[in-house]
Amino acid sequence: MYIFKSTIQLFLICSLLLISACNDNSNTGTKAVKATVPVKSEQATKILYITSVGWFHDYQQQIKTISSNINQYMNADIDVIVGDIERLKTTDFSNGYDLLIYNFCHAAQRDNELLQSLMSPVVNEGKPLIALHCAMHSFQYSPDWATFLGLKTLRHEQQRSFAVEKVGNHKLIADLAETWTLSSDELYITISQDEGIVPLLQSYGIETKKQHTQAWLYQSGKGKVIGTTLGHNEQTLTDSNFQQFIANSIRFLVIKEPEVAPETGYNISLNILTEGVNYPDDQEKKCVIHNMFSIGGEKVKSCVASQCTDTSTLAQCTAQCQQDNPWPVPETLREACQSNELTAPN
């Protein structure tokens, strides 16, 4: 009888030990699986980046810098259109992309078909847009462009170092410093802004003695726009707060939550869609810019001298002269500069 009870007790003890061992193995196994499963790589954001050859900015370098910055924060497939106005006017260029980035400078451009083509994917189709720096100074002949972006600005203060500070507590800027200093940029002067915009960043202008909006969120028709007037040069584009702001803007517009970066880093593909891009050299830039200001300025100056004789209406008359006497688009002067028909002072 004693032997029988001992046998049963031994059996129970072994069973309990076996169950305990199984449980321990099961827990250990689960932990091991969790530790070895790689972080799921998020789907690449498809971005169409539209720029130009650049007369006042090094847009060739900016393609590399901005795409590299984006690659620090997410997987991205970036296609680039450089100039290529006919493509923008005649094709459904935005089809298939999650997001558009406009980083060009078309201040003297008066091609209304181009303007409408650039606005349509956002306003009519709801395509989200990030507009950078001189995109805000583009299409100055038309009030529609400023209405589209939500903010009007036509000039900037002298390039210098200045502080940028957050406005409000929108989640877009939650992880940025409350205030930081840019080593060198152009502070764009806000003329007016739509009451529907959500200001995100601002800076104080030394020359104008007032605050100016430097970044904002805006509902433009069916699509959301995030604009920033910052980004004239490499010092800003490589600033960590600026980089974080652009990454936050992309994620906000495409409704993606940030994930832990995989150990191998994020992946990016960069594809220049425009073939045979011919960027101007320094001498071409100097010639084109000089003659653009010279030709355009002389037209306006002559108009003002001959038509704006009433001092009480001088401002309105000058504005009309500027409207009626468009400055030449830089690209239209390039061939004359290349052939030395137009030159610039040494």
Side-chain angles (χ1 to χ4, degrees), residues 281-300:
D281 59 27
D282 290 341
Q283 190 59 38
E284 281 182 274
K285 286 183 179 181
K286 183 178 179 180
C287 176
V288 166
I289 292 171
H290 167 77
N291 285 282
M292 183 182 72
F293 280 99
S294 177
I295 295 169
E298 285 302 316
K299 283 184 180 180
V300 175

Side-chain angles (χ1 to χ4, degrees), residues 129 131 135-137 144-151 197 216 218 220 225:
L129 167 69
M136 264 58 74
H137 281 180
D144 292 347
W145 187 249
T147 300
F148 164 64
L149 295 171
L151 183 142
I197 77 166
W216 64 95
Y218 182 61
S220 186
V225 173

Side-chain angles (χ1 to χ4, degrees), residues 191-241:
I191 297 174
S192 62
Q193 57 190 42
D194 191 279
E195 62 181 13
I197 77 166
V198 179
L200 300 170
L201 303 172
Q202 67 181 11
S203 295
Y204 183 78
I206 296 175
E207 298 169 27
T208 54
K209 308 299 183 186
K210 60 191 299 187
Q211 295 282 2
H212 298 281
T213 300
Q214 301 298 299
W216 64 95
L217 171 65
Y218 182 61
Q219 185 71 37
S220 186
K222 294 182 179 179
K224 285 184 171 61
V225 173
I226 292 176
T228 177
T229 59
L230 304 174
H232 178 71
N233 52 33
E234 283 291 297
Q235 289 96 319
T236 296
L237 297 181
T238 55
D239 178 89
S240 59
N241 279 287

Side-chain angles (χ1 to χ4, degrees), residues 88-275:
L88 296 174
K89 293 196 299 185
T90 60
T91 69
D92 186 7
F93 61 86
S94 67
N95 186 41
Y97 294 99
D98 301 315
L99 174 81
L100 303 175
I101 295 178
Y102 291 172
N103 188 25
F104 48 65
C105 199
H106 293 314
Q109 181 60 259
R110 291 191 173 218
D111 190 328
N112 191 60
E113 190 178 354
L114 174 62
L115 180 147
Q116 298 299 327
S117 294
L118 290 168
M119 295 193 300
S120 180
V122 180
V123 174
N124 299 326
E125 301 169 23
K127 196 74 67 173
L129 167 69
I130 294 175
L132 299 177
H133 192 57
C134 199
M136 264 58 74
H137 281 180
S138 297
F139 303 103
Q140 294 186 10
Y141 79 98
S142 173
D144 292 347
W145 187 249
T147 300
F148 164 64
L149 295 171
L151 183 142
K152 182 178 182 180
T153 171
L154 295 176
R155 62 189 182 92
H156 58 79
E157 294 193 358
Q158 183 178 356
Q159 187 174 174
R160 63 167 70 89
S161 172
F162 58 86
V164 180
E165 62 182 35
K166 297 197 294 189
V167 182
N169 55 3
H170 196 282
K171 67 178 183 179
L172 250 169
I173 54 175
D175 53 359
L176 304 185
E178 289 297 321
T179 302
W180 74 93
T181 300
L182 295 174
S183 61
S184 179
D185 207 326
E186 294 174 341
L187 193 157
Y188 276 25
I189 297 169
T190 303
I191 297 174
S192 62
Q193 57 190 42
D194 191 279
E195 62 181 13
I197 77 166
V198 179
L200 300 170
L201 303 172
Q202 67 181 11
S203 295
Y204 183 78
I206 296 175
E207 298 169 27
T208 54
K209 308 299 183 186
K210 60 191 299 187
Q211 295 282 2
H212 298 281
T213 300
Q214 301 298 299
W216 64 95
L217 171 65
Y218 182 61
Q219 185 71 37
S220 186
K222 294 182 179 179
K224 285 184 171 61
V225 173
I226 292 176
T228 177
T229 59
L230 304 174
H232 178 71
N233 52 33
E234 283 291 297
Q235 289 96 319
T236 296
L237 297 181
T238 55
D239 178 89
S240 59
N241 279 287
F242 183 83
Q243 292 177 348
Q244 186 68 63
F245 175 75
I246 296 300
N248 292 354
S249 297
I250 294 173
R251 289 192 178 280
F252 178 82
L253 290 174
V254 299
I255 317 176
K256 283 188 176 181
E257 294 298 326
E259 294 185 14
V260 178
E263 292 182 4
T264 55
Y266 291 114
N267 296 315
I268 192 166
S269 69
L270 181 63
N271 180 33
I272 309 297
L273 299 180
T274 308
E275 298 179 357

Side-chain angles (χ1 to χ4, degrees), residues 50-55 59-60 81-83 103-106 279 331:
I50 298 177
T51 187
S52 53
V53 294
W55 300 99
Y59 284 147
Q60 183 176 17
I81 294 177
V82 185
N103 188 25
F104 48 65
C105 199
H106 293 314
Y279 291 98
E331 286 78 7

